[in-house]
Amino acid sequence: MNGLPSKAPSLLRYLLPVVILMTVFPGAFGALYTRTWLDERQGKGIDQQRASIKGVPWFKPEFRGLVKRLKEHLPEGTGILVEPHAVDEKEAQPGGRTRWFLYLNYYAYPLRIYAYEPKLASGTLVDYTPWIDHHFEALNIDNSLQGMSASIKRDRLLKDADKQIAKRDIEWRLTYPISQSFRMENVKLYHREDGAWAPVAIPAFAALADSIFAANEAGL
Amino acid sequence: MITLSTLITGFVLFLGGHCALALFHPTRTKRPSERHATALLLGLALVPALVIGLVLAIGPLGPILARALALALAVGGTFALFRTRECNKAKRAPLRLPCNGEEYFGLIGFIAILIFGAFIVFYTATMPMHIFDPVFHFAYKGKLLYSEGLMTSSWMDVEDSIGRVITHPDYPPGVGAIEALCGWLGGTFSEDAARPLFALFALAAAAFLFGTLKDLGRRGSWLAPVTGTLMWLAMPFLYYSRLPHKDWGKGVYGLFFGPDAAEAKYGSTIGPKGPIAGEWSMPDGWTLDGAGDLPLAALFSCGFIILLRFVFAKRDQRDTADILIAGTLFGGGALMKNEGLALLAVAAVVFGLTWLLGLLRGAKQDAEGSRLMIPFAVGLALVVALIVASPWLAVRADIPTIGEDYPSRLSPSGLAESWNATQAVRISRVTSEVAQVPVPRIVAGGFADAFTHIPRFGLVWILFLASVLFGLARPKRLLYSPALPAALAVVGACALYALVLFVTPWNLDALFKTAIPDRLIFHVAPLAIFASILIIDSTGERE
């Protein structure tokens, strides 16, 4: 498999100028990218750079703020059950950008993020709608469904959930509305006390988390 | 961002590859670009395999063990590098720059290659990792390898009514292994520090294509290597997948002058929720952000070409090391994305066909050597690939699969069901109007869009189609050319991917918004470029 002898003109001599001409597309991209970088990100720290990139939900400052707060005050390995508690009226068909539990799972690590029906939660966008339905129809999380059968089903599922939560030693629960926007005031935190979820105001979260951590450390 | 750990990891991958290359003891003299590229590709394939194997055996390496491993690879690699450099000094004439009038475009092209090579490094170093798949499918596995290892509850606890969240737990952790190594060497995990390492896959494939096409193209000519390498490095899909706006005119204008300028010139696009302002608020670029597609494309395509060189070489010029190198790169590809295993099957079938064609035509190489040499070589390469991927394959079956169990879906009944199925496709961006369209038509439309998307792939696929048609017009020459198996592998891979899309549980309309099938056909793009250049370069030769 050696090189070809150079007998006759190769069509490549006509192709190469065309290929060079076609570099205008990536060339234009490169110029545009470099200009944007110089204007918006040059010399900034990684957090500032992330904040300057539009259209990436998990770079939104409020979300990063929540992640920072959780990681600062909860010890590594703390389990948090994350669930949606409402659907934003604008979200007729909730898209992938509303999957805050996934973003939290990555950025809050090594905190352990748990979800109901983890296979659906971890699945593709096709699985996302059934995952949402599981919360609002089966678990009836917003109490929107009335009737005996809904109530029986819900009680059965929550009883099983209690077992799973205890088995995994999940102490915290975080709820959020399904929405493309992320607002700290819409996030709700709960701490598990005597088998029930007690709401914790976000401003009070740090102090409570620190005191629980200190008590655990002291073996109380 | 480039940190000290990025630089050290890059050198470890490069020198580790040289270490492996020396152990394989190659006898075929390689051009420096091909030699260093092969070494780098070996490092990018073997080091992740080593990391995954060690993590499986002893858990997360931690900084001390990782640094000891890095030191060992660096020392071994440095020794190997200087040894092979001395051996090659006497064998190669110095490289002549293309400076005659006939090839002055070669010089311009070569300069463009250097510019794009530099831009790739700049691009990966200055953009935070920001796309869904690289972060949540790939870097998350890097975090798990870095902190807790394989097969822990983070990977496995998805079966109960409450459990952990992990997207595609059965995606191989090769990309994550590189990120974890970078984290251990630097003392902290950072996907952004590891991001520039993905430039190495693009650059290694470029240097490999350059060296190989310099060898296989017309003697002394720069046309083949410069054209092929530039087509690869200047392929827009390496940098972005979407135009700033969906409307073509507005999109192309936005690419050249900025999305806001396009908005001002063409006005706002009205969507279902009102004006869509600044659609392109960020550069995307699936390939260089840290997904497994680019690593797989580089490793599989270069491995295939190396094996092709062995199969088509004269008996006395065959180098057994090529089989081992090709197998290692195939195995590395399987560690980067699950499609790497499917492409192994494609390679096996294509080389099987090549062997049968050789037997039918009574090819010289079979007369000179054993008739079983090709199946032996390909079989050995596949065995090596499976050995390299074995740390992952050993545990993969125990890790839960979520949603995409394609092998079980690719049954005759599954295919028949998909053939008759329809899916909702949004036909208007303005009104959100949808229509039920047959699945075969959606899949065919997706591939047709991808192959003809010039702002995304440049001339790669159009040229590939033209060169195949050109080759078919001279079947005898094509039959004896290494371009035939390369082209068959490209067609085979695309056909296999089309079948997979047929049975995917995804909604195809939603899936195609994530640059599918473009990301799939990208896996064999370097091979398509290689085949096209070989066929076109043979023009003017007598049949």
Side-chain angles (χ1 to χ4, degrees):
Chain A
M1 197 170 164
N2 293 318
L4 297 163
S6 188
K7 284 182 195 167
S10 159
L11 275 182
L12 286 180
R13 71 171 57 190
Y14 306 109
L15 177 64
L16 180 55
V18 180
V19 170
I20 292 172
L21 192 67
M22 292 302 292
T23 61
V24 293
F25 285 107
F29 171 82
L32 187 59
Y33 174 80
T34 307
R35 205 174 68 208
T36 310
W37 178 77
L38 287 170
D39 290 346
E40 295 176 7
R41 297 206 306 281
Q42 186 195 15
K44 289 183 178 170
I46 189 72
D47 286 334
Q48 287 174 301
Q49 289 196 43
R50 284 172 171 162
S52 72
I53 298 172
K54 297 165 212 154
V56 182
W58 50 93
F59 285 172
K60 288 188 176 175
E62 284 211 45
F63 174 72
R64 309 296 296 193
L66 175 70
V67 169
K68 189 166 177 264
R69 210 178 286 202
L70 290 173
K71 286 179 86 169
E72 271 175 3
H73 295 287
L74 293 177
E76 285 185 13
T78 300
I80 306 174
L81 177 65
V82 179
E83 62 188 46
H85 68 69
V87 182
D88 191 319
E89 284 176 6
K90 292 177 197 162
E91 303 288 344
Q93 281 182 310
R97 299 165 74 84
T98 63
R99 291 182 289 179
W100 295 102
F101 64 98
L102 271 185
Y103 314 151
L104 206 56
N105 186 54
Y106 180 84
Y107 288 103
Y109 187 89
L111 301 179
R112 294 171 176 267
I113 302 301
Y114 290 90
Y116 284 102
E117 293 301 321
K119 269 202 162 181
L120 291 176
S122 306
T124 64
L125 275 179
V126 174
D127 300 317
Y128 185 42
T129 306
W131 184 75
I132 294 170
D133 291 346
H134 179 78
H135 289 80
F136 294 101
E137 290 173 14
L139 288 169
N140 194 12
I141 232 152
D142 57 348
N143 286 319
S144 58
L145 299 179
Q146 303 297 323
M148 185 69 87
S149 67
S151 172
I152 291 171
K153 189 177 181 185
R154 178 177 192 260
D155 289 348
R156 185 171 50 80
L157 288 171
L158 288 180
K159 202 173 171 186
D160 175 58
D162 272 345
K163 279 186 204 163
Q164 303 292 344
I165 288 165
K167 185 175 150 190
R168 289 167 177 81
D169 200 19
I170 300 170
E171 283 187 61
W172 294 87
R173 176 169 160 236
L174 185 149
T175 67
Y176 66 98
I178 291 178
S179 169
Q180 288 204 26
S181 63
F182 186 86
R183 295 275 176 272
M184 194 78 97
E185 66 263 26
N186 294 335
V187 174
K188 292 176 184 167
L189 257 180
Y190 300 84
H191 183 248
R192 193 167 170 83
E193 288 165 7
D194 302 324
W197 294 111
V200 179
I202 293 273
F205 159 72
L208 178 67
D210 286 345
S211 68
I212 292 166
F213 184 41
N216 286 344
E217 286 286 287
L220 297 174
Chain B
M1 60 186 181
I2 293 182
T3 63
L4 186 61
S5 62
T6 315
L7 293 173
I8 294 173
T9 311
F11 277 113
V12 167
L13 292 166
F14 178 64
L15 293 171
H18 266 292
C19 201
L21 188 61
L23 289 175
F24 290 156
H25 199 64
T27 55
R28 179 167 64 82
T29 309
K30 297 178 179 68
R31 293 182 180 279
S33 57
E34 190 196 343
R35 191 171 78 247
H36 292 309
T38 306
L40 183 52
L41 288 164
L42 275 174
L44 289 163
L46 266 181
V47 174
L50 194 60
V51 167
I52 295 167
L54 284 171
V55 169
L56 198 57
I58 58 174
L61 300 190
I64 295 173
L65 205 54
R67 286 168 192 170
L69 175 71
L71 187 66
L73 291 173
V75 170
T78 307
F79 180 72
L81 183 64
F82 280 101
R83 193 168 155 266
T84 48
R85 198 175 150 212
E86 287 303 312
C87 294
N88 276 272
K89 244 182 194 173
K91 294 179 185 170
R92 277 284 172 203
L95 205 61
R96 180 187 62 82
L97 280 173
C99 53
N100 57 23
E102 194 177 88
E103 292 191 352
Y104 68 96
F105 273 114
L107 192 57
I108 298 172
F110 188 69
I111 292 167
I113 287 171
L114 296 179
I115 291 171
F116 280 108
F119 177 69
I120 281 185
V121 176
F122 171 71
Y123 182 43
T124 51
T126 55
M127 188 74 191
M129 191 179 282
H130 62 284
I131 291 178
F132 187 89
D133 286 22
V135 177
F136 302 106
H137 297 344
F138 292 94
Y140 183 59
K141 291 174 182 67
K143 269 192 177 180
L144 296 183
L145 287 182
Y146 175 84
S147 302
E148 53 185 81
L150 269 163
M151 307 291 284
T152 59
S153 65
S154 296
W155 297 83
M156 311 295 283
D157 186 13
V158 294
E159 306 281 4
D160 284 336
S161 56
I162 286 181
R164 300 297 302 280
V165 180
I166 177 169
T167 57
H168 301 292
D170 60 344
Y171 269 20
V175 166
I178 294 174
E179 293 165 338
L181 179 65
C182 183
W184 289 316
L185 294 179
T188 180
F189 184 90
S190 164
E191 67 274 17
D192 296 311
R195 191 178 189 263
L197 296 169
F198 295 98
L200 298 179
F201 286 100
L203 296 176
F208 179 85
L209 275 177
F210 189 91
T212 306
L213 289 171
K214 187 89 179 78
D215 261 359
L216 302 183
R218 292 173 186 236
R219 283 175 206 150
S221 171
W222 278 60
L223 285 174
V226 169
T227 311
T229 311
L230 187 57
M231 281 180 74
W232 166 245
L233 277 186
M235 186 193 299
F237 195 62
L238 271 178
Y239 310 99
Y240 66 85
S241 66
R242 290 181 297 129
L243 288 170
H245 302 274
K246 283 187 177 169
D247 308 327
W248 268 63
K250 191 176 170 185
V252 172
Y253 190 88
L255 184 65
F256 282 87
F257 303 103
D260 294 338
E263 201 74 15
K265 182 174 167 62
Y266 288 87
S268 294
T269 307
I270 306 296
K273 293 175 189 172
I276 303 169
E279 288 176 36
W280 201 49
S281 47
M282 54 155 183
D284 50 3
W286 289 90
T287 54
L288 282 165
D289 202 46
D293 300 297
L294 172 61
L296 175 57
L299 294 172
F300 175 76
S301 297
C302 295
F304 193 94
I305 293 168
I306 290 171
L307 194 55
L308 205 54
R309 293 196 73 166
F310 177 89
V311 167
F312 275 76
K314 290 178 181 166
R315 189 185 180 192
D316 59 344
Q317 291 173 0
R318 280 178 172 158
D319 182 359
T320 316
D322 280 342
I323 304 174
L324 303 177
I325 295 168
T328 305
L329 300 194
F330 285 157
L335 287 176
M336 299 299 160
K337 271 205 103 180
N338 279 332
E339 287 89 332
L341 283 175
L343 291 181
L344 269 185
V346 171
V349 171
V350 168
F351 279 110
L353 282 173
T354 306
W355 178 60
L356 284 175
L357 281 173
L359 288 183
L360 288 174
R361 67 170 192 240
K364 280 181 187 173
Q365 61 263 37
D366 292 317
E368 287 174 7
S370 161
R371 283 184 185 278
L372 294 176
M373 177 55 89
I374 293 177
F376 172 76
V378 175
L380 181 57
L382 296 181
V383 168
V384 171
L386 293 176
I387 291 171
V388 170
S390 62
W392 170 243
L393 296 180
V395 297
R396 183 174 175 260
D398 295 329
I399 290 180
T401 296
I402 294 179
E404 291 181 321
D405 185 12
Y406 290 120
S408 69
R409 288 169 183 267
L410 278 171
S411 61
S413 60
L415 287 169
E417 192 183 321
S418 298
W419 182 260
N420 297 314
T422 60
Q423 279 193 13
V425 173
R426 195 170 150 184
I427 53 172
S428 166
R429 297 176 61 231
V430 178
T431 62
S432 292
E433 196 182 340
V434 295
Q436 289 293 322
V437 179
V439 167
R441 208 198 303 167
I442 304 174
V443 173
F447 275 91
D449 283 349
F451 285 130
T452 54
H453 203 306
I454 290 174
R456 197 176 264 180
F457 281 108
L459 293 176
V460 171
W461 297 112
I462 290 168
L463 194 69
F464 177 70
L465 178 66
S467 62
V468 167
L469 292 175
F470 186 81
L472 288 174
R474 304 190 312 163
K476 200 172 168 189
R477 169 163 285 282
L478 186 64
L479 208 58
Y480 285 88
S481 167
L484 178 63
L488 281 175
V490 173
V491 173
C494 293
L496 182 64
Y497 287 149
L499 271 183
V500 168
L501 287 184
F502 238 51
V503 297
T504 186
W506 271 85
N507 172 275
L508 289 168
D509 197 33
L511 189 64
F512 288 179
K513 285 186 183 124
T514 66
I516 294 285
D518 308 69
R519 280 153 63 198
L520 298 175
I521 61 175
F522 176 75
H523 297 162
V524 283
L527 210 48
I529 292 171
F530 173 80
S532 306
I533 297 295
L534 279 195
I535 293 172
I536 293 170
D537 201 29
S538 70
T539 50
E541 300 292 316
R542 284 180 183 278
E543 196 160 315

